[in-house]
Amino acid sequence: MSDAFYMRWREMNRTEIVRVENLKKYFPVEKSFLEKLLTRTRGFIRAVDDITFSVLRGEVFTLAGESGCGKTTTGKIILGLVPPTSGRVFFRDREITNLKPEELRLLRRRMQIIFQDPYASFNPRMKIGDAIGHPLEIHGLASGLEKRKKVLSMLERVGLTPPEQFIELYPHQLSGGQRQRAAIARSLILNPEFIVADEPVSMIDVSLRTTIIDLMLDLKRELQLTYLFITHDLAVAKYISDRVAIMYLGKIVEMGEKEEIFSNPLHPYTQALLSAIPVPNPDRKRRIIELKGEVPSAIRIPMGCRFHPRCPFAEEACQKEEPELTVVSASHLVACHLAKGSEHA
Amino acid sequence: MEKQLLAVEGLTVEYWARRGRVRAVDSVSFTLDRAETLGVVGESGSGKSTLGLSLIRLIPPPGRIIGGHLWLEGTDLLKLREEEMRNVRGRKIAFVFQDPMTSLNPVKKIGEHFVELIRTHEPKTGREEALRRAEKLLNDVGIQSERINDYPHQLSGGMRQRVMIALSIALNPSIVIADEPTTALDVIVQAKILDLLKNVQNVYAMALILITHDLSIALERCNKILVMYAGQMVEYASVENIYNKPQHPYTRGLLKSIPNIELAEQKLEAIPGSPPDLLNPPRGCRFWPRCPSSIGKCREREPQPVETEPGHFVRCFLHEVAGNESN
Amino acid sequence: MTRLEVKRSMLASIVPGLASLGKKGLAGWLVVIGTLIVVSIVFMTLIAPWITPYDPSTRGINVGRPLTPPNPQFPFGTNDLGQDMLSRTIAGGSVMLQVAVLSVIICIIIGVPLGLFSSYVGGMLDRTTCLVMDSVYAFPGLILAIAIAATLGRGVVNMALSIAVVYVPSYFRVIRSQVLSIKETPYVEAAKSIGAKNRTILFKYILPNVVPSIVVVATVNFADAILTAAGLTFIGLGVEVDIPDWGWDLANGRRLLPSGVWWVITFPGIFIILLALGFTLVGEGLSELLNPKLAER
């Protein structure tokens, strides 16, 4: 089977689980009383600024970018934790933006989240066993002995053994890695299909990261999960993802199969980002692509291509017209005037 | 001029916690040559930050240096009086902290930070001259000199860290200790700051001690690496040796567990278990519960660092035979 | 179980608890000492009917010559009505303690739910409640209490009510600031994401984490309520003359002080200060012990 054919075959046989269309989230800027009196106009932080993508069943789709690029907000909008300003989110072809609270509650059984900070994502006054079993109770799925049995088997599944011991502990009695395992257990106890993992390993010690990532990948295979993985760490993204979307200032600038993004990055921002990642090899002297300045504020996003003030290759067109995310190959999209140009050449 | 700048011998730091004594740094020894870069690598709680602070004798209470020597150009810093030590800080050894926001005074202009620092150590310098020097220093780290009148909150995270670096080199120290200088920053800014550190290090001919949890950064930026685990130095060698022939199982585990963006397919291997509670460390070697190649005596006795080849130290029984077994 | 046995088992459970508190450093000791002071004064007040040498009420008038200075028969002296000051001091805490307990209960019943709901719901409700609470808070406490007590009239319940009005805003503010920060924590977000209803989030995730602050405010509230109650009685808005009360004795003693009668004001005064001090120590100690950041160690 040729590569191209395989790709098409896979595309045809894989169904979308989540689709995001023209999603926007603008947060109003908090102003002081005096400013409110003096100015009429209201500033907005354009955290997420018109993004469209879909996540396929059974894949790991990664949203990657620097802090403040809107990746976490996107994840929370999909889960209904933050209402979008505009745009639509579909879960298995059913629109889930603006659901009624009761419908949203039911949806929670099918999509879950793992948070970044394993220290803060547990109620300090609730035992681990109660916290993990709580979702079952809330949804009336199990209680008493049955709940206990489910919690025990889930704890065992995420590697917190002996589970009888962990069930009685309070969060502060667990190490960071153990807490993140417990958080994974809590997110899986309702048997969801779709998991948003928001930087699940960035606060975990280096020597433990791999175990957490491998656990997540094992569980994915075993329970047929789909992950939306959010990270700032492209090295981790490369290890775990099937497809990657790179975000810059609220927009997706490049998206595609992992191999495409990492071996043939087309957007200058992706190239710079990749070149800046430290490589664990003292013999390898790499060339870092220099970007001018730093990420501008999301309140005053530059005109035209939002990356042009920092782009080493910016041309006149870049200042005027905002590039659209366009297909450059079957599994690769990029939002850059120059990348398109090079495609024609 | 002698090549060796700093020699640390058996440095030991203890904390008195409510539940008992914690040996945060346990008899660490290393040397630092002029213009050299040493990477101190370890996870949270490995004692790497405490080690950094103890080099300038700024361990917050209830911590205390309880033993060892800190030879800086022939003087033992641990024998100095506090006033003499104050003269060493900033002038001989400067420190760059992880979070530049909390280490700059928010109500003081950038220029004033320089004036205060310079005039504390050189009382004869006038205000104007100090400000002029500040402008030059800021230029050296890539900040326009007009920024001298800004307040810290008007600068971005990356620029604040540049200011911290400018401050650290203001008195032309021979050693700069940078404790996780880029952990709070995004990867592009991180690369720029690390480049900048390398640059000023060359221009000002300083030695740099880079404390980091990220082995990739240390491998990329340092000449020598000291790997810390549970308060102890487990391996200390040139960067080439650490990368090509790591000897301690922990170093090997770390190398296998970090993703490398340049490799096409990579199978990461995890180190099982988690770091020990320092209040209650395991008997014997502190790493044996997680070690894939531990042997009987690892659980009984604590291995001592041995030099397996010139400049390559490892604290592991598996390599004791190769070194000189003195005890 | 007889009453004595109950007391004994309670003691048995309290004493080791206190002893272990002592191991937690200075803050632990503050709590231990404060609790000991408060418990002994409460105990003294409870058993007063059996241990007072003379009747401390109006029926005990002229048990001795009026204004006798302290002597072996009347160790604390007598007042201008010839009542035994020792007996009055032993029994005089009862009104104050009742007022304090009642006012704290009223405050918790009103302040805690108000703070929880208002800050959790937010928006207009929160703004309005805040405005009302802040305007009450801005008023000088004692003056407000006096005004309310004067309107409501004498009596334990009315005193408690007037003190409660002054203290509800303290509960409200402390709880509100806590809820506002807890509301934003990942674990509340996690609760939302598992589909927990607002009620569940409030009572299972937020309230348990606010309780330590409520306890601290309540102890401080106790101490202040004692002093305010003393103040109200002092200016004659307290209880009937018939009931022995430190506040009443304080007012009476102040009148007598210029003529060199120091003992009528001194002994009740010492006990008011002791009781308030006891509660303050407990509050200070607890606020340090229950601070979650410190508890992590």
Side-chain angles (χ1 to χ4, degrees):
Chain A
M1 206 177 336
S2 78
D3 273 3
F5 184 77
Y6 168 76
M7 207 70 93
R8 264 179 59 199
W9 172 82
R10 206 168 75 163
E11 285 301 309
M12 276 160 61
N13 282 280
R14 285 170 91 190
T15 45
E16 271 176 8
I17 187 162
V18 165
R19 188 166 79 250
V20 168
E21 280 180 7
N22 303 99
L23 199 66
K24 287 184 186 174
K25 179 66 191 179
Y26 293 179
F27 293 103
V29 180
E30 290 288 331
K31 284 194 293 189
S32 70
F33 183 67
L34 197 69
E35 280 173 317
K36 273 186 194 159
L37 284 181
L38 293 175
T39 51
R40 273 284 166 84
T41 52
R42 217 160 172 208
F44 287 97
I45 298 167
R46 286 147 74 182
V48 178
D49 203 5
D50 195 357
I51 62 172
T52 301
F53 64 89
S54 41
V55 183
L56 304 179
R57 218 174 143 65
E59 75 170 345
V60 180
F61 182 85
T62 297
L63 283 179
E66 296 178 277
S67 50
C69 72
K71 53 191 193 299
T72 297
T73 311
T74 308
K76 287 185 178 170
I77 294 172
I78 293 174
L79 284 173
L81 290 170
V82 172
T85 306
S86 71
R88 306 201 291 174
V89 180
F90 295 87
F91 180 70
R92 292 174 151 265
D93 292 327
R94 170 171 165 238
E95 184 171 353
I96 56 165
T97 20
N98 309 316
L99 282 186
K100 293 196 196 79
E102 200 46 40
E103 293 173 313
L104 191 61
R105 255 170 49 78
L106 282 175
L107 192 69
R108 301 263 188 245
R109 294 191 201 170
R110 308 174 70 182
M111 43 204 312
Q112 276 295 318
I113 182 165
I114 301 167
F115 290 95
Q116 171 177 18
D117 186 347
Y119 295 89
S121 63
F122 280 99
N123 182 350
R125 296 188 182 267
M126 215 186 230
K127 285 180 185 166
I128 290 297
D130 295 333
I132 294 173
H134 202 208
L136 292 171
E137 219 171 282
I138 287 171
H139 292 274
L141 295 175
S143 61
L145 261 178
E146 199 194 340
K147 184 181 91 174
R148 188 181 154 87
K149 244 177 70 191
K150 285 194 168 178
V151 171
L152 286 175
S153 83
M154 190 47 87
L155 278 172
E156 190 140 30
R157 187 60 207 82
V158 298
L160 293 176
T161 46
E164 290 82 7
Q165 190 187 320
F166 279 98
I167 213 167
E168 294 298 329
L169 295 179
Y170 282 96
H172 73 262
Q173 294 169 294
L174 268 60
S175 71
Q178 289 172 335
R179 277 187 232 194
Q180 203 58 304
R181 284 169 189 271
I184 293 172
R186 177 177 59 189
S187 71
L188 293 179
I189 195 110
L190 290 173
N191 239 331
E193 305 160 65
F194 177 72
I195 304 275
V196 173
D198 185 6
E199 304 255 17
V201 294
S202 69
M203 290 180 79
I204 311 280
D205 267 326
V206 189
S207 76
L208 303 176
R209 273 186 199 174
T210 321
T211 54
I212 300 288
I213 293 177
D214 284 347
L215 173 69
M216 286 181 64
L217 288 174
D218 285 350
L219 290 165
K220 184 195 115 166
R221 265 191 301 276
E222 206 173 297
L223 307 170
Q224 284 144 17
L225 302 169
T226 305
Y227 288 131
L228 175 68
F229 195 86
I230 296 169
T231 185
H232 71 278
D233 188 340
L234 283 174
V236 170
K238 188 178 180 203
Y239 183 69
I240 196 171
S241 325
D242 295 308
R243 288 193 305 140
V244 178
I246 308 285
M247 286 186 76
Y248 180 75
L249 268 182
K251 236 180 161 67
I252 293 178
V253 294
E254 188 161 9
M255 175 160 69
E257 295 278 334
K258 168 175 77 178
E259 291 77 20
E260 284 283 313
I261 298 287
F262 286 94
S263 56
N264 182 27
L266 293 176
H267 199 283
Y269 177 66
T270 315
Q271 292 166 356
L273 212 51
L274 288 175
S275 80
I277 295 166
V279 175
N281 182 351
D283 311 324
R284 171 81 175 74
K285 293 288 164 242
R286 66 213 165 80
R287 192 179 56 89
I288 291 175
I289 300 173
E290 281 282 340
L291 290 186
K292 288 169 245 168
E294 291 179 27
V295 185
S297 147
I299 304 172
R300 278 178 294 277
I301 289 179
M303 292 288 286
C305 171
R306 54 194 63 203
F307 184 62
H308 88 260
R310 304 181 66 200
C311 183
F313 316 110
E315 291 175 355
E316 223 181 297
C318 305
Q319 297 175 25
K320 290 177 187 144
E321 199 189 330
E322 176 141 43
E324 295 275 319
L325 198 59
T326 23
V327 179
V328 287
S329 78
S331 56
H332 198 161
L333 291 87
V334 65
C336 176
H337 293 307
L338 302 162
K340 261 181 287 173
S342 67
E343 187 68 12
H344 291 301
Chain B
M1 198 153 49
E2 213 185 321
K3 203 171 147 235
Q4 192 179 83
L5 183 63
L6 178 76
V8 175
E9 283 172 23
L11 187 66
T12 304
V13 180
E14 280 192 347
Y15 279 93
W16 274 267
R18 241 182 230 161
R19 291 192 292 141
R21 262 190 328 184
V22 172
R23 195 161 270 204
V25 175
D26 189 2
S27 142
V28 170
S29 308
F30 64 88
T31 59
L32 187 69
D33 291 346
R34 281 178 205 285
E36 190 177 41
T37 309
L38 170 75
V40 177
V41 177
E43 300 175 75
S44 55
S46 64
K48 59 184 190 305
S49 293
T50 309
L51 173 64
L53 286 172
S54 64
L55 297 181
I56 49 170
R57 281 177 47 189
L58 273 186
I59 306 279
R64 252 176 54 189
I65 301 176
I66 60 158
H69 299 281
L70 283 177
W71 300 104
L72 177 71
E73 292 169 322
T75 333
D76 188 353
L77 296 184
L78 295 185
K79 298 243 157 63
L80 293 186
R81 279 178 289 128
E82 184 53 34
E83 308 92 83
E84 294 171 314
M85 193 58 214
R86 223 170 284 149
N87 229 348
V88 171
R89 291 181 204 128
R91 191 190 271 282
K92 296 261 186 207
I93 307 179
F95 212 96
V96 178
F97 290 93
Q98 171 176 349
D99 186 356
M101 192 61 218
T102 48
S103 23
L104 290 171
N105 183 345
V107 296
K108 242 199 282 177
K109 288 181 181 171
I110 297 301
E112 292 306 313
H113 285 88
F114 286 90
V115 173
E116 189 190 340
L117 176 79
I118 292 171
R119 294 189 59 182
T120 314
H121 288 274
E122 299 163 19
K124 282 183 202 132
T125 314
R127 215 186 111 79
E128 285 308 309
E129 198 199 325
L131 280 175
R132 258 204 315 283
R133 270 167 68 183
E135 282 178 7
K136 169 156 187 328
L137 286 161
L138 285 176
N139 261 325
D140 284 357
V141 298
I143 292 181
Q144 298 138 309
S145 42
E146 301 94 78
R147 290 291 196 159
I148 208 162
N149 290 319
D150 280 5
Y151 287 97
H153 71 91
Q154 292 170 292
L155 306 180
S156 70
M159 279 160 88
R160 286 198 286 263
Q161 199 56 294
R162 282 170 192 268
V163 170
M164 287 306 297
I165 292 171
L167 276 169
S168 74
I169 56 176
L171 301 169
N172 209 353
S174 37
I175 302 173
V176 170
I177 303 171
D179 185 6
E180 302 268 13
T182 58
T183 306
L185 305 172
D186 274 314
V187 57
I188 291 179
V189 188
Q190 162 174 299
K192 283 188 181 179
I193 294 291
L194 292 173
D195 283 348
L196 173 68
L197 270 173
K198 187 95 230 162
N199 242 328
V200 294
Q201 189 191 359
N202 289 339
V203 172
Y204 289 78
M206 306 172 315
L208 177 66
I209 298 180
L210 187 63
I211 300 171
T212 178
H213 69 279
D214 191 339
L215 185 56
S216 306
I217 290 181
L219 285 169
E220 203 176 75
R221 309 273 176 175
C222 302
N223 311 112
K224 284 196 298 200
I225 291 182
L226 191 156
V227 182
M228 298 275 294
Y229 184 78
Q232 294 179 332
M233 174 194 103
V234 292
E235 190 158 4
Y236 166 55
S238 69
V239 74
E240 290 78 18
N241 275 3
I242 291 280
Y243 183 72
N244 294 317
K245 10 179 194 172
Q247 295 184 330
H248 198 280
Y250 178 65
T251 317
R252 289 185 194 166
L254 273 188
L255 280 164
K256 283 183 197 147
S257 70
I258 44 175
N260 182 342
I261 197 126
E262 296 207 321
L263 300 180
E265 261 325 300
Q266 193 186 9
K267 182 72 197 131
L268 296 184
E269 282 171 43
I271 305 175
S274 45
D277 177 7
L278 282 183
L279 276 165
N280 189 15
R283 213 177 115 86
C285 170
R286 292 187 175 185
F287 186 63
W288 78 256
R290 304 178 72 190
C291 185
S293 37
S294 73
I295 48 176
K297 77 174 151 179
C298 302
R299 305 170 188 214
E300 300 299 323
R301 284 196 296 127
E302 197 168 70
Q304 295 304 313
V306 285
E307 193 167 12
T308 53
E309 59 181 283
H312 195 149
F313 294 84
V314 62
R315 190 191 273 266
C316 180
F317 284 127
L318 297 177
H319 300 278
E320 214 168 38
V321 204
N324 51 327
E325 200 162 357
S326 49
N327 41 342
Chain C
M1 229 192 309
T2 66
R3 209 192 251 177
L4 196 71
E5 273 172 34
V6 172
K7 261 186 196 150
R8 227 184 242 153
S9 69
M10 264 174 64
L11 265 183
S13 64
I14 288 171
V15 170
L18 285 178
S20 73
L21 270 178
K23 287 183 196 127
K24 299 203 165 176
L26 182 64
W29 280 111
L30 289 184
V31 176
V32 173
I33 295 168
T35 313
L36 284 179
I37 295 176
V38 171
V39 168
S40 12
I41 293 180
V42 170
F43 189 64
M44 179 187 82
T45 317
L46 283 177
I47 61 165
W50 296 283
I51 59 164
T52 45
Y54 301 94
D55 190 335
S57 69
T58 28
R59 285 183 301 279
I61 286 177
N62 292 330
V63 292
R65 264 170 25 123
L67 301 180
T68 317
N71 61 45
Q73 195 197 350
F74 301 109
F76 286 6
T78 63
N79 65 7
D80 53 342
L81 298 173
Q83 291 168 304
D84 173 33
M85 279 315 292
L86 176 63
S87 307
R88 282 189 70 83
T89 307
I90 291 172
S94 122
V95 172
M96 242 165 240
L97 285 167
Q98 286 174 46
V99 169
V101 170
L102 202 58
S103 76
V104 168
I105 292 173
I106 297 172
C107 279
I108 289 177
I109 291 174
I110 299 173
V112 174
L114 205 61
L116 278 177
F117 288 118
S118 157
S119 47
Y120 187 71
V121 175
M124 267 324 273
L125 172 73
D126 188 38
R127 282 191 196 183
T128 322
T129 330
C130 266
L131 199 69
V132 174
M133 288 294 153
D134 282 350
S135 40
V136 175
Y137 195 83
F139 239 86
L142 188 60
I143 294 177
L144 186 62
I146 290 170
I148 299 168
T151 329
L152 294 175
R154 289 177 164 199
V156 170
V157 178
N158 288 347
M159 272 168 85
L161 268 176
S162 54
I163 292 169
V165 171
V166 176
Y167 283 97
V168 164
S170 311
Y171 287 78
F172 176 81
R173 282 164 65 125
V174 168
I175 289 166
R176 183 169 179 276
S177 70
Q178 289 255 310
V179 174
L180 286 183
S181 67
I182 294 175
K183 224 167 91 173
E184 302 299 324
T185 56
Y187 63 82
V188 166
E189 205 161 29
K192 279 185 198 156
S193 72
I194 58 173
K197 290 179 177 154
N198 283 333
R199 187 161 28 102
T200 319
I201 292 176
L202 257 181
F203 290 112
K204 279 197 101 161
Y205 287 80
I206 296 182
L207 184 60
N209 289 290
V210 179
V211 167
S213 324
I214 299 178
V215 173
V216 172
V217 180
T219 46
V220 177
N221 180 185
F222 259 118
D224 270 3
I226 299 285
L227 295 176
T228 315
L232 287 178
T233 332
F234 182 81
I235 56 169
L237 289 168
V239 287
E240 308 297 328
V241 195
D242 189 36
I243 306 168
D245 181 63
W246 295 333
W248 193 90
D249 284 338
L250 217 58
N252 195 26
R254 190 197 62 99
R255 204 167 45 81
L256 300 170
L257 194 58
S259 42
V261 181
W262 55 268
W263 55 91
V264 174
I265 195 167
T266 306
F267 298 107
I270 287 175
F271 273 86
I272 291 176
I273 292 169
L274 266 181
L275 190 55
L277 178 74
F279 277 120
T280 312
L281 289 179
V282 174
E284 288 290 323
L286 281 182
S287 73
E288 197 156 310
L289 286 182
L290 297 178
N291 185 333
K293 274 182 199 146
L294 295 171
E296 282 280 302
R297 285 186 192 163

